[in-house]
Amino acid sequence: MSTTPAPRRALGRRDSLAARSTAAPRYSLCPRPHSQRPPPFPTAPPRSRAAEGTSRTPRPAGPTFGENLHRLQQLLDEVRAEDLHLAPRGPSAAAAAAGGGLPWSGVVPPVSYMHICETESFSMGVFLLRSGACIPLHDHPGMNGMLKVLYGTLRIACLDTLPPAAAAPPPPAAAAGPCHRALYRSRQHYTPASPPCLLSPHTDNLHQIDAVDGPAAFLDILAPPYDPQHGRDCHYYRLLEGPLPQAGAEPPGLPREVWLMETPQASDFWCGGEPYPGPRVCL
């Protein structure tokens, strides 16, 4: 995703959340210098191979996918910030310089992204969030994913979309766009000591991510990567019952059914790009 603001669905586009500030070949197998290749994903070669082995399975069925997924979880759980040459901080001035045109030019973004690796099968990268920053509620159509906190604390709310139901109550009158029934499954805090947070095409596929009590960073793996041309664009949503609860206010009765309304990208959310300082990855 570029650093130029997009009117909507920018999280999944190569010109937004991934914050690719310069043109680059679509499937570069090794990270290029930042001047040539702006931001998406990281890890050491053995972990990269494990990720690719998992993503080559077209759908999560059969022992091969399960075995590879478990192995990848084990490898990802071992990754620490120092392995990627990262120290706790939020987005830097470099992300502001690459943050796109007006109105964000020169403004340090709430979130920045370090590209490490991407193939047709998977992508890896690091997201950096300043204290209090939020990656709004969004989806990952047909995708599997893993998120490992490197430093700081993240509050992650996870939801599933539900099929239409004739007996379902109508959406709230406040709805002003396409609405979807969803299951609000969980809302938990994750730290570097936590196991990876997982998502699949049908479970925990929508999430909102907030940095709590300081800056935070996480390593992100998606298989396959976002690709609007193949139906894997990103969509943003708003919980019609109100914003997701703030710290200290737990939502009632999880899991529970809710209504979501598709929205444009929030005006106060954008993502800058930063160079990845960690070990080089080759596939």
Side-chain angles (χ1 to χ4, degrees):
M1 307 179 181
S2 87
T3 52
T4 302
R8 62 181 293 135
R9 301 184 183 177
L11 188 64
R13 299 185 187 281
R14 298 180 181 276
D15 60 349
S16 178
L17 187 57
R20 303 190 178 189
S21 55
T22 58
R26 181 175 179 183
Y27 298 119
S28 178
L29 297 184
C30 295
R32 296 177 179 271
H34 184 58
S35 60
Q36 301 176 26
R37 176 85 177 193
F41 294 81
T43 193
R47 297 183 176 95
S48 299
R49 292 201 239 356
E52 187 169 51
T54 301
S55 61
R56 281 174 179 164
T57 302
R59 58 184 180 275
T64 301
F65 180 91
E67 291 170 0
N68 285 337
L69 181 65
H70 179 66
R71 178 58 176 153
L72 180 57
Q73 285 181 262
Q74 292 178 318
L75 291 170
L76 199 61
D77 200 33
E78 297 173 4
V79 178
R80 298 293 181 264
E82 52 267 29
D83 297 330
L84 307 183
H85 305 169
L86 294 174
R89 65 173 178 84
S92 71
L102 295 175
W104 299 331
S105 181
V107 179
V108 176
V111 180
S112 63
Y113 185 76
M114 296 178 173
H115 172 84
I116 298 188
C117 189
E118 181 172 338
T119 73
E120 293 184 0
S121 299
F122 77 99
S123 61
M124 295 191 296
V126 173
F127 285 96
L128 285 68
L129 292 79
R130 71 187 181 200
S131 181
C134 170
I135 298 178
L137 184 63
H138 62 280
D139 63 1
H140 310 78
M143 301 156 68
N144 295 281
M146 288 191 184
L147 180 165
K148 172 61 180 176
V149 177
L150 299 173
Y151 58 78
T153 300
L154 295 177
R155 183 174 62 247
I156 304 178
C158 297
L159 298 89
D160 299 343
T161 56
L162 295 174
C179 294
H180 307 270
R181 292 173 61 241
L183 182 66
Y184 191 164
R185 289 174 53 88
S186 64
R187 180 173 174 269
Q188 301 181 44
H189 286 75
Y190 288 80
T191 70
S194 304
C197 177
L198 307 183
L199 66 88
S200 77
H202 304 292
T203 303
D204 295 339
N205 190 262
L206 293 83
H207 60 207
Q208 175 173 309
I209 302 172
D210 294 86
V212 180
D213 297 331
F218 64 91
L219 174 61
D220 192 54
I221 298 178
L222 294 175
Y226 281 114
D227 187 343
Q229 294 183 352
H230 291 84
R232 297 192 301 275
D233 201 354
C234 180
H235 310 85
Y236 293 98
Y237 298 92
R238 178 167 65 87
L239 190 64
L240 288 178
E241 298 177 349
L244 295 179
Q246 300 300 311
E250 289 299 324
L254 295 182
R256 62 190 173 96
E257 287 193 23
V258 296
W259 280 99
L260 303 179
M261 182 178 70
E262 187 175 343
T263 68
Q265 177 179 331
S267 60
D268 60 352
F269 169 72
W270 75 102
C271 187
E274 298 193 45
Y276 164 61
R280 187 179 181 184
V281 176
C282 293
L283 300 175

